[in-house]
């Protein structure tokens, strides 16, 4: 049986891992390759690197980080952040990334999803969707630019669309749950997971081990992503996995 | 020396780094002479079957791979590389493969998530030096098409994804792994190490002649 996956996420700026809240007061938190290796040893099933560099140099540095990481760890990793062309994707995949993630660029040019899937295969293309509940619609809305811009697009429709375009996986972040540590957004996650035939990684809200259990069962997610709780060592991957195993969830 | 065959598709860097970490020399190459001189060869692959076969033909490496297989030295196909070893695939139309092993490649069909992506457990069938000392644990799969080998004896391991799915194949000197051993933690590295040991043994035998 296919196991559920636990995925830590590292924010990287100019080649260094950074910690901060909502991208403010960023502190250097170490070398991404070292931290990646530690997560690999601690039992992470995959890793996500989010490149939040604003500059061209920062982005070029990321390629170096990817090369070094690919040589050090033996689990798959995804790189996202600022990817806006097939060339960007190619550079990162050639450097050793297993998957690339696109968010804002996919909304601005949906064809990019299809182009990436055609050229590299769907399994390499993860579309990240940031969604927030819109009270007046009674459903979720897609946001871009790091959660700053409301797009007017319905999240469930967008999820179906990206699957049609060829995305191999969706990384779904609930803006309502993100940072709360009150648990993943189960309603949103289940709604998206039921709409699409591709795997869904839930993101936003993880605080305790049972949150992962809930998002894998009630939320129907295939994987759970968390950043803060793992970085600040509030929770370890082993604690999460032991809890899941005890509850009968297939986990590595 | 292990040749990682570069025909433009595949996660060459990760595979070659993994080989090096295991103490062997890896050369990422599209040069026929280099490949044929290697003690073992790895055929990686990510992407679509038809494109991969077209690239192998265009680079002239199709015959090189066949030639390498005939040499009797160990050959390992990984992911799409394993699928290419077979006779045909239905991915984006019907395409002919290398036909080094009998069988075909078909799409996953059913009310479940496709691709089969993530860690899944291996179940061994029969014995092989490739499986020596390896635990039946999780390895990392990511594929939308899977292999149906014609001969049960070629099937060394399966995994379960709503049906038994071919995970490892092997006959003579030709092996295949549907999952990515270089991305499959400790178990993956052990399988890769076993393959590399076969390459070393093959070289030692050749040298002693």
């Amino acid at each position: 049986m296919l196991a559920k996956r636990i995925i830590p996420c590292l924010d990287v700026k100019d080649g260094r891992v950074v910690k901060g809240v909502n991208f403010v007061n960023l502190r250097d938190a170490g070398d991404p390759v070292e931290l990646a290796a530690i997560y690999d040893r601690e039992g992470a099933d995959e890793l996500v690197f989010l490149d939040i560099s604003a500059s061209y140099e920062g982005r070029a540095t990321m390629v170096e980080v990817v090369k070094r990481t690919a040589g050090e760890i033996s689990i798959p990793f995804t790189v996202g952040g600022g990817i806006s062309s097939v060339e960007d994707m190619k550079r990162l995949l050639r450097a050793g990334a297993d998957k690339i993630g696109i968010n804002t660029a996919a909304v601005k040019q949906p064809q990019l999803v299809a182009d990436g899937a055609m050229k590299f295969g769907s399994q390499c293309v993860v579309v990240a969707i940031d969604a927030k509940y819109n009270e007046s619609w009674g459903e979720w809305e897609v946001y871009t630019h790091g959660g700053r811009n409301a797009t007017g697009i319905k999240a469930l429709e967008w999820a179906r669309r990206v699957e049609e375009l060829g995305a191999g996986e969706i990384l779904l972040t609930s803006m309502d749950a993100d940072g709360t540590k009150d648990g993943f957004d189960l309603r949103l996650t289940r709604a998206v997971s039921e709409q699409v035939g591709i795997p869904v990684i839930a993101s936003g809200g993880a605080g305790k081990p049972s949150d992962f259990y809930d998002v894998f069962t009630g939320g129907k997610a295939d994987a759970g992503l968390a950043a803060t709780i793992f970085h600040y060592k509030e929770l370890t991957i082993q604690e999460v996995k032991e809890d899941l195993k005890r509850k009968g969830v297939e986990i590595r | 020396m292990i040749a990682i065959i570069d025909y433009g598709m595949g996660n060459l860097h990760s595979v070659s780094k993994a080989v090096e970490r295991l103490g062997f020399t890896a050369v990422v190459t599209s040069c026929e002479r280099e490949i044929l001189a290697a003690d073992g060869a790895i055929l990686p692959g990510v992407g679509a079957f038809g494109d991969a076969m077209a690239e192998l033909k265009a680079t002239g490496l199709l015959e090189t791979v066949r030639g390498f297989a005939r040499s009797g030295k160990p050959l390992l196909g990984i992911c799409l590389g394993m699928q290419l070893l077979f006779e045909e695939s239905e991915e984006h139309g019907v395409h002919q493969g290398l036909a080094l092993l009998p069988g075909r490649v078909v799409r996953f069909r059913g009310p479940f998530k496709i691709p089969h992506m993530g860690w899944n457990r291996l179940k061994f069938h029969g014995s092989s030096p490739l499986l020596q000392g390896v635990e039946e644990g999780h390895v990392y799969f990511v594929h939308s098409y899977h292999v149906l080998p014609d001969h049960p004896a070629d099937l060394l391991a399966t995994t379960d994804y709503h049906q038994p799915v071919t995970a490892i194949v092997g006959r003579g000197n030709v092996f295949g792994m549907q999952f990515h051993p270089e991305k499959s933690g400790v178990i993956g590295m052990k399988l890769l190490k076993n393959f590399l040991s076969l390459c070393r043994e093959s070289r030692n035998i050749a040298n002693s002649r």
Side-chain angles (χ1 to χ4, degrees):
Chain A
M1 242 190 84
L2 190 61
K4 297 292 184 184
R5 295 170 273 147
I6 307 298
I7 308 179
C9 177
L10 292 163
D11 290 347
V12 180
K13 185 173 199 287
D14 302 329
R16 302 290 293 172
V17 174
V18 290
K19 283 185 200 167
V21 180
N22 294 330
F23 309 124
V24 189
N25 298 326
L26 296 177
R27 283 174 14 239
D28 182 307
D31 175 43
V33 184
E34 265 174 48
L35 292 173
I38 291 171
Y39 276 137
D40 181 0
R41 279 199 303 276
E42 289 180 352
D45 296 308
E46 286 183 38
L47 290 176
V48 170
F49 283 137
L50 183 62
D51 181 11
I52 58 169
S53 308
S55 64
Y56 173 77
E57 290 81 11
R59 304 258 184 241
T61 306
M62 196 63 205
V63 175
E64 285 312 306
V65 168
V66 169
K67 274 193 194 137
R68 285 194 298 130
T69 304
E72 284 299 316
I73 64 171
S74 40
I75 56 175
F77 69 101
T78 302
V79 182
I83 296 170
S84 58
S85 68
V86 168
E87 262 313 304
D88 288 340
M89 294 178 182
K90 182 177 187 182
R91 204 171 302 123
L92 292 163
L93 293 169
R94 270 308 266 204
D98 297 286
K99 301 184 245 179
I100 52 87
I102 48 176
N103 187 339
T104 301
V107 173
K108 280 161 69 169
Q109 341 147 226
Q111 187 56 30
L112 184 61
V113 179
D115 291 343
M118 275 301 289
K119 198 155 166 78
F120 309 110
S122 290
Q123 75 288 334
C124 292
V125 181
V126 180
V127 173
I129 301 177
D130 295 342
K132 188 169 191 222
Y133 196 70
N134 182 315
E135 293 289 346
S136 59
W137 291 354
E139 55 178 297
W140 295 272
E141 181 174 8
V142 176
Y143 278 66
T144 54
H145 296 91
R148 291 192 299 277
N149 294 8
T151 59
I153 299 169
K154 296 186 173 141
L156 297 188
E157 269 174 36
W158 178 233
R160 269 200 310 275
R161 177 103 194 277
V162 305
E163 178 183 14
E164 271 160 36
L165 288 164
E169 191 170 43
I170 288 174
L171 169 50
L172 179 66
T173 300
S174 162
M175 291 170 58
D176 298 308
D178 201 25
T180 65
K181 296 189 199 160
D182 276 339
F184 292 95
D185 188 332
L186 302 181
R187 277 183 64 221
L188 167 66
T189 310
R190 184 172 61 245
V192 171
S193 193
E194 285 174 347
Q195 285 287 308
V196 297
I198 55 178
V200 174
I201 305 170
S203 165
K208 51 196 191 305
S210 58
D211 292 338
F212 286 88
Y213 177 77
D214 292 338
V215 86
F216 292 149
T217 51
K220 296 192 171 175
D222 303 282
L225 180 144
T228 322
I229 50 164
F230 291 137
H231 287 332
Y232 290 105
K233 305 211 176 3
E234 293 167 28
L235 198 52
T236 66
I237 294 167
Q238 278 315 304
E239 280 169 340
V240 174
K241 288 191 163 189
E242 264 148 38
D243 186 71
L244 289 165
K245 279 177 192 156
R246 265 197 305 269
K247 290 170 175 163
V249 175
E250 182 76 17
I251 202 87
R252 176 176 79 108
Chain B
M1 184 271 276
I2 308 297
I4 317 283
I5 301 171
D6 183 1
Y7 59 102
M9 293 169 75
N11 202 336
L12 307 162
H13 183 70
S14 301
V15 173
S16 72
K17 282 287 169 220
V19 169
E20 280 169 10
R21 281 209 305 278
L22 289 167
F24 289 74
T25 309
V27 176
V28 173
T29 174
S30 53
C31 165
E32 176 172 58
R33 196 187 36 81
E34 252 185 328
I35 294 167
L36 294 177
D39 301 312
I42 295 178
L43 182 69
V46 169
F49 195 99
D51 292 341
M53 287 306 292
E55 284 302 315
L56 281 171
K57 278 180 196 139
T59 52
L61 290 171
L62 187 84
E63 283 316 312
T64 308
V65 177
R66 286 203 173 116
F68 191 90
R70 276 194 303 272
S71 75
K73 291 187 281 188
L75 171 68
L76 173 67
I78 293 176
C79 197
L80 178 63
M82 172 177 113
Q83 295 179 358
L84 295 174
L85 300 174
F86 288 85
E87 291 169 310
E88 98 184 359
S89 171
E90 63 182 33
E91 182 173 13
H92 303 154
V94 179
H95 298 277
Q96 302 308 305
L98 293 163
L100 294 172
L101 291 171
R104 61 201 174 93
V105 184
V106 299
R107 191 166 217 275
F108 276 114
R109 275 178 191 91
F112 44 83
K113 304 271 173 154
I114 295 168
H116 172 216
M117 180 189 286
W119 298 84
N120 209 339
R121 241 180 235 284
L122 288 174
K123 182 176 169 178
F124 298 150
H125 303 279
S127 67
S128 164
L130 198 66
L131 307 181
Q132 187 80 267
V134 184
E135 211 189 291
E136 281 180 318
H138 293 90
V139 288
Y140 193 86
F141 291 87
V142 54
H143 58 124
S144 304
Y145 291 77
H146 64 116
V147 173
L148 300 176
D150 281 351
H151 295 169
D154 294 343
L155 187 58
L156 298 180
T158 52
T159 188
D160 176 58
Y161 191 56
H162 305 274
Q163 68 209 278
V165 174
T166 301
I168 304 177
V169 294
R171 179 200 282 203
N173 62 312
V174 177
F175 299 95
M177 293 177 194
Q178 178 63 73
F179 51 92
H180 286 271
E182 76 283 9
K183 295 281 164 180
S184 294
V186 170
I187 294 178
M189 289 305 265
K190 180 76 179 115
L191 283 163
L192 205 47
K193 187 170 189 198
N194 286 351
F195 172 74
L196 296 171
S197 298
L198 290 175
C199 297
R200 186 195 278 132
E201 272 165 41
S202 155
R203 188 198 63 211
N204 291 343
I205 290 170
N207 285 348
S208 66
R209 286 210 183 104

